[in-house]
Amino acid sequence: VKKLQMSNSSSISQFLLLPFADTWQLQLLHFWLFLDIYLAALLGNGLVITTIAWDHHLHTPMYFFLFNLSVLDLGSISTTVPKAMANSLTDNRRIFYLGCATQLFCFVFLISAEYSLLIIMAYDRYMAICQPLHYGTLLGSRVSTHMAAAAWARGFLYVLLHTANTFSVPLCQGNAVGQFFCEIPHILKLSCSHSDYLREVGLLAFSAFPFLGCFVFMVVSYVGIFRAVLRISLQQGWHKTFSTCLSHLAAVSLFVSAALFAYLKPPSISSPSLDLVVSVLYSVVPPAVNP
């Protein structure tokens, strides 16, 4: 039986991705919608990267983190959206096995690193507002570089573990992925072995706890920020801080809530349309609105 399972898994040369619609007209509509979002993400993040790179006055920790965030946003949306647009335009659902593994690896790597970077940015804002006298010593250029490198390294280790586990599971439940890009939960649904499936799902659930802990840390940081801001008597100080922090908090909340729901929701409430909407909320929308 084990040999048969491994044979079925190795015989899969390509996967079929979830189409956006059943009719050509609706697929064309999705193509133009995704094209608009993708161009907005390219323009917004490209302007951020170019401005920070060329303006030496912006070579500070906060803008260094924003530079890294824009690079991660560009990478994550470029991993999924162009392939989805090409599939809609050509009415083609296929993606090769290696392409699927590469897409999954790159996407999970980039969003994991992005999440870590968003937490670091919350800490940066907390230190700048609540501990301004110590900000220069605690968050210098070297420390900022090390923190950003740690975010990238954490994303790499995280995706290495989960990609290896996901594609080591024998697959024999067909090759139709119920998502518009290759994603861990939908690959696992094709598993032959229930025990292997539960192992990776358990690992995903366990690895979600550090993410939740980091989110709680970020919320606590913002509580401290808001308390400090409320003691400021200047209306301009209130507006500047809230406009910066609330947008960051909203982006992170959308990203975290949608991603956790997508990865940890019970199978009983899963449906193709719901999975599609939730995945767009955490994979397509944030890179376009973060700039």
Side-chain angles (χ1 to χ4, degrees), residues 126-136:
Y126 173 82
M127 294 302 300
I129 295 172
C130 300
Q131 303 288 336
L133 298 179
H134 303 286
Y135 180 75

Side-chain angles (χ1 to χ4, degrees), residues 109-123:
F109 165 52
L110 292 166
I111 64 169
S112 301
E114 179 171 335
Y115 179 74
S116 300
L117 188 67
L118 289 170
I119 301 301
I120 293 173
M121 291 172 66
Y123 174 72

Side-chain angles (χ1 to χ4, degrees), residues 225-243:
I225 289 173
F226 294 148
R227 290 179 61 186
V229 170
L230 292 176
R231 293 196 293 266
I232 300 175
S233 58
L234 296 177
Q235 187 78 18
Q236 185 179 1
W238 287 17
H239 179 268
K240 184 176 181 180
T241 304
F242 280 123
S243 64

Side-chain angles (χ1 to χ4, degrees), residues 101-178:
T102 303
Q103 186 183 63
L104 186 148
F105 182 91
C106 293
F107 179 72
V108 177
F109 165 52
L110 292 166
I111 64 169
S112 301
E114 179 171 335
Y115 179 74
S116 300
L117 188 67
L118 289 170
I119 301 301
I120 293 173
M121 291 172 66
Y123 174 72
D124 171 73
R125 292 299 81 212
Y126 173 82
M127 294 302 300
I129 295 172
C130 300
Q131 303 288 336
L133 298 179
H134 303 286
Y135 180 75
T137 56
L138 294 177
L139 276 168
S141 58
R142 179 174 295 183
V143 175
S144 301
T145 303
H146 289 168
M147 294 175 73
W152 286 81
R154 184 182 185 278
F156 181 78
L157 293 176
Y158 180 84
V159 70
L160 200 63
L161 172 65
H162 287 290
T163 304
N165 272 314
T166 300
F167 285 96
S168 66
V169 173
L171 309 176
C172 63
Q173 302 294 329
N175 65 340
V177 179

Side-chain angles (χ1 to χ4, degrees), residues 256-279:
V256 172
S257 59
L260 287 178
F261 183 80
Y263 278 74
L264 301 180
K265 70 180 184 298
S268 58
I269 63 173
S270 180
S271 68
S273 57
L274 178 63
D275 294 342
L276 185 63
V277 171
V278 172
S279 64

